[in-house]
Amino acid sequence: MTYDAVIVGTGPAGLSAALTLGRARRATLVIDGGPGRNAPSDGVHNFLSRDGIAPTDLRNIALEQLSAYATVEIREGLADRVTAVDGEFELVLAGGHRVRARRLLLATGVLDELPAIAGLAERWGHGVVHRPYCHGWERRDLPLAVLAPGNPPAPVQSRRRAVPGRQL
Protein backbone atom coordinates (compact mmCIF):
# COMPACT_ATOMS: atom_id res chain seq x y z
CA MET A 1 0.00 0.00 0.00
CA THR A 2 1.14 3.52 -0.74
CA TYR A 3 -0.04 6.05 1.84
CA ASP A 4 -1.04 9.56 0.90
CA ALA A 5 1.25 10.73 3.70
CA VAL A 6 3.60 9.39 6.34
CA ILE A 7 4.19 11.54 9.40
CA VAL A 8 7.28 10.79 11.47
CA GLY A 9 6.70 12.12 14.98
CA THR A 10 3.82 12.31 17.43
CA GLY A 11 4.33 15.66 19.09
CA PRO A 12 1.72 18.40 18.73
CA ALA A 13 2.83 19.23 15.15
CA GLY A 14 2.72 15.65 13.88
CA LEU A 15 -0.56 14.82 15.60
CA SER A 16 -2.19 18.05 14.38
CA ALA A 17 -1.15 17.20 10.83
CA ALA A 18 -2.56 13.69 11.25
CA LEU A 19 -5.88 15.14 12.40
CA THR A 20 -6.07 17.42 9.39
CA LEU A 21 -5.24 14.58 7.00
CA GLY A 22 -7.65 12.22 8.73
CA ARG A 23 -10.47 14.73 8.40
CA ALA A 24 -9.61 14.98 4.68
CA ARG A 25 -9.84 11.15 4.47
CA ARG A 26 -6.21 10.79 3.41
CA ALA A 27 -4.51 7.44 4.01
CA THR A 28 -1.99 8.49 6.65
CA LEU A 29 0.59 6.53 8.59
CA VAL A 30 1.97 8.14 11.75
CA ILE A 31 5.25 6.73 13.06
CA ASP A 32 5.23 7.00 16.85
CA GLY A 33 8.70 6.98 18.39
CA GLY A 34 7.29 7.39 21.91
CA PRO A 35 7.02 10.34 24.26
CA GLY A 36 8.64 13.52 23.03
CA ARG A 37 10.97 16.20 24.27
CA ASN A 38 8.45 17.73 26.65
CA ALA A 39 7.52 14.42 28.36
CA PRO A 40 9.40 15.22 31.60
CA SER A 41 7.86 18.70 31.81
CA ASP A 42 5.14 19.52 34.33
CA GLY A 43 2.98 21.07 31.64
CA VAL A 44 2.58 22.19 28.05
CA HIS A 45 2.25 25.96 27.68
CA ASN A 46 1.30 28.40 24.94
CA PHE A 47 -1.09 25.82 23.49
CA LEU A 48 -4.53 27.40 23.14
CA SER A 49 -7.23 25.70 25.27
CA ARG A 50 -4.70 23.33 26.88
CA ASP A 51 -2.30 25.68 28.69
CA GLY A 52 -0.72 23.76 31.58
CA ILE A 53 -1.88 20.29 30.54
CA ALA A 54 0.55 17.46 31.27
CA PRO A 55 2.39 16.45 28.07
CA THR A 56 1.28 12.81 28.36
CA ASP A 57 -2.35 13.89 28.79
CA LEU A 58 -2.19 16.10 25.69
CA ARG A 59 -0.64 13.26 23.70
CA ASN A 60 -3.22 10.72 24.93
CA ILE A 61 -6.13 13.04 24.09
CA ALA A 62 -4.76 13.58 20.58
CA LEU A 63 -4.26 9.85 20.00
CA GLU A 64 -7.79 9.16 21.26
CA GLN A 65 -9.25 11.78 18.93
CA LEU A 66 -7.32 10.35 15.99
CA SER A 67 -8.87 6.92 16.59
CA ALA A 68 -12.12 8.28 15.12
CA TYR A 69 -10.48 8.54 11.68
CA ALA A 70 -10.21 5.19 9.92
CA THR A 71 -7.71 6.54 7.39
CA VAL A 72 -5.13 7.36 10.08
CA GLU A 73 -2.91 4.53 11.29
CA ILE A 74 -0.58 4.97 14.26
CA ARG A 75 2.41 2.65 14.31
CA GLU A 76 4.94 2.49 17.14
CA GLY A 77 8.53 2.47 16.00
CA LEU A 78 11.23 4.49 14.36
CA ALA A 79 12.05 5.42 10.80
CA ASP A 80 15.62 4.40 9.97
CA ARG A 81 15.96 5.63 6.40
CA VAL A 82 14.09 7.48 3.66
CA THR A 83 14.79 7.35 -0.05
CA ALA A 84 13.05 8.66 -3.14
CA VAL A 85 11.71 5.90 -5.37
CA ASP A 86 9.66 6.56 -8.52
CA GLY A 87 8.43 9.95 -7.31
CA GLU A 88 7.43 8.65 -3.88
CA PHE A 89 9.09 8.30 -0.50
CA GLU A 90 10.13 4.88 0.71
CA LEU A 91 10.75 4.61 4.43
CA VAL A 92 12.60 1.76 6.04
CA LEU A 93 11.31 1.36 9.57
CA ALA A 94 13.18 -0.15 12.49
CA GLY A 95 13.04 -3.90 11.97
CA GLY A 96 13.30 -3.55 8.20
CA HIS A 97 9.62 -3.05 7.27
CA ARG A 98 9.20 -0.75 4.24
CA VAL A 99 6.36 1.68 3.54
CA ARG A 100 5.72 4.13 0.73
CA ALA A 101 4.03 7.52 0.66
CA ARG A 102 3.32 10.29 -1.78
CA ARG A 103 4.11 12.91 0.90
CA LEU A 104 6.37 12.87 3.95
CA LEU A 105 6.20 15.11 7.01
CA LEU A 106 9.13 15.04 9.41
CA ALA A 107 7.78 16.26 12.75
CA THR A 108 10.40 14.70 14.97
CA GLY A 109 11.26 17.77 17.02
CA VAL A 110 14.60 17.81 18.77
CA LEU A 111 16.49 15.71 21.26
CA ASP A 112 18.14 17.43 24.19
CA GLU A 113 21.68 16.27 24.85
CA LEU A 114 22.32 17.25 28.44
CA PRO A 115 25.83 18.07 29.62
CA ALA A 116 27.26 15.94 32.42
CA ILE A 117 26.30 18.23 35.32
CA ALA A 118 25.37 16.52 38.58
CA GLY A 119 21.62 16.69 39.22
CA LEU A 120 20.71 18.23 35.85
CA ALA A 121 19.02 15.15 34.34
CA GLU A 122 16.94 14.54 37.48
CA ARG A 123 15.67 18.14 37.49
CA TRP A 124 15.08 18.34 33.72
CA GLY A 125 11.53 19.56 33.17
CA HIS A 126 11.04 20.24 36.90
CA GLY A 127 12.96 23.33 37.98
CA VAL A 128 15.39 23.14 35.08
CA VAL A 129 13.46 23.96 31.94
CA HIS A 130 14.51 23.74 28.33
CA ARG A 131 12.62 26.82 27.15
CA PRO A 132 12.38 29.69 29.61
CA TYR A 133 9.96 31.45 27.27
CA CYS A 134 7.45 28.58 27.50
CA HIS A 135 7.90 28.07 31.23
CA GLY A 136 8.65 31.69 32.16
CA TRP A 137 5.24 32.38 33.68
CA GLU A 138 5.57 29.47 36.09
CA ARG A 139 9.13 30.56 36.97
CA ARG A 140 8.34 34.30 37.17
CA ASP A 141 10.11 36.29 39.85
CA LEU A 142 12.59 33.45 40.42
CA PRO A 143 16.28 33.65 39.59
CA LEU A 144 17.10 32.64 36.03
CA ALA A 145 20.28 31.11 34.75
CA VAL A 146 20.92 30.25 31.11
CA LEU A 147 23.12 27.32 30.20
CA ALA A 148 24.40 27.68 26.65
CA PRO A 149 27.30 25.98 24.87
CA GLY A 150 30.25 28.13 23.92
CA ASN A 151 30.12 31.88 24.38
CA PRO A 152 27.06 33.35 22.61
CA PRO A 153 26.32 36.52 24.61
CA ALA A 154 23.92 38.17 22.14
CA PRO A 155 21.43 35.27 21.82
CA VAL A 156 21.48 34.69 25.57
CA GLN A 157 20.70 38.36 26.22
CA SER A 158 17.78 38.33 23.79
CA ARG A 159 16.38 35.19 25.42
CA ARG A 160 16.58 36.78 28.86
CA ARG A 161 14.49 39.73 27.70
CA ALA A 162 11.80 37.40 26.39
CA VAL A 163 11.27 35.73 29.76
CA PRO A 164 8.50 37.32 31.86
CA GLY A 165 10.47 36.92 35.08
CA ARG A 166 12.98 38.86 37.10
CA GLN A 167 16.16 39.62 35.16
CA LEU A 168 19.56 38.74 36.57
Side-chain angles (χ1 to χ4, degrees), residues 51-75:
D51 192 46
I53 190 172
T56 53
D57 292 345
L58 178 64
R59 187 173 186 276
N60 290 339
I61 289 167
L63 291 170
E64 179 185 333
Q65 289 179 351
L66 286 172
S67 70
Y69 300 95
T71 60
V72 177
E73 176 187 346
I74 310 290
R75 189 178 303 179

Side-chain angles (χ1 to χ4, degrees), residues 104-153:
L104 174 64
L105 174 61
L106 299 177
T108 57
V110 297
L111 176 65
D112 295 304
E113 294 180 8
L114 303 180
I117 297 174
L120 182 64
E122 296 79 20
R123 291 179 181 87
W124 194 247
H126 311 282
V128 176
V129 296
H130 58 283
R131 289 185 309 233
Y133 189 77
C134 291
H135 301 281
W137 179 255
E138 289 71 28
R139 307 293 301 165
R140 68 190 176 278
D141 301 327
L142 296 172
L144 170 69
V146 176
L147 174 64
N151 187 14

Side-chain angles (χ1 to χ4, degrees), residues 4-63:
D4 291 315
V6 170
I7 300 169
V8 180
T10 54
L15 294 174
S16 292
L19 179 62
T20 299
L21 292 167
R23 293 179 59 80
R25 300 175 72 183
R26 300 291 183 200
T28 304
L29 174 63
V30 180
I31 307 298
D32 181 358
R37 176 187 196 198
N38 64 355
S41 178
D42 292 328
V44 173
H45 302 288
N46 298 319
F47 197 99
L48 190 61
S49 84
R50 299 290 182 197
D51 192 46
I53 190 172
T56 53
D57 292 345
L58 178 64
R59 187 173 186 276
N60 290 339
I61 289 167
L63 291 170

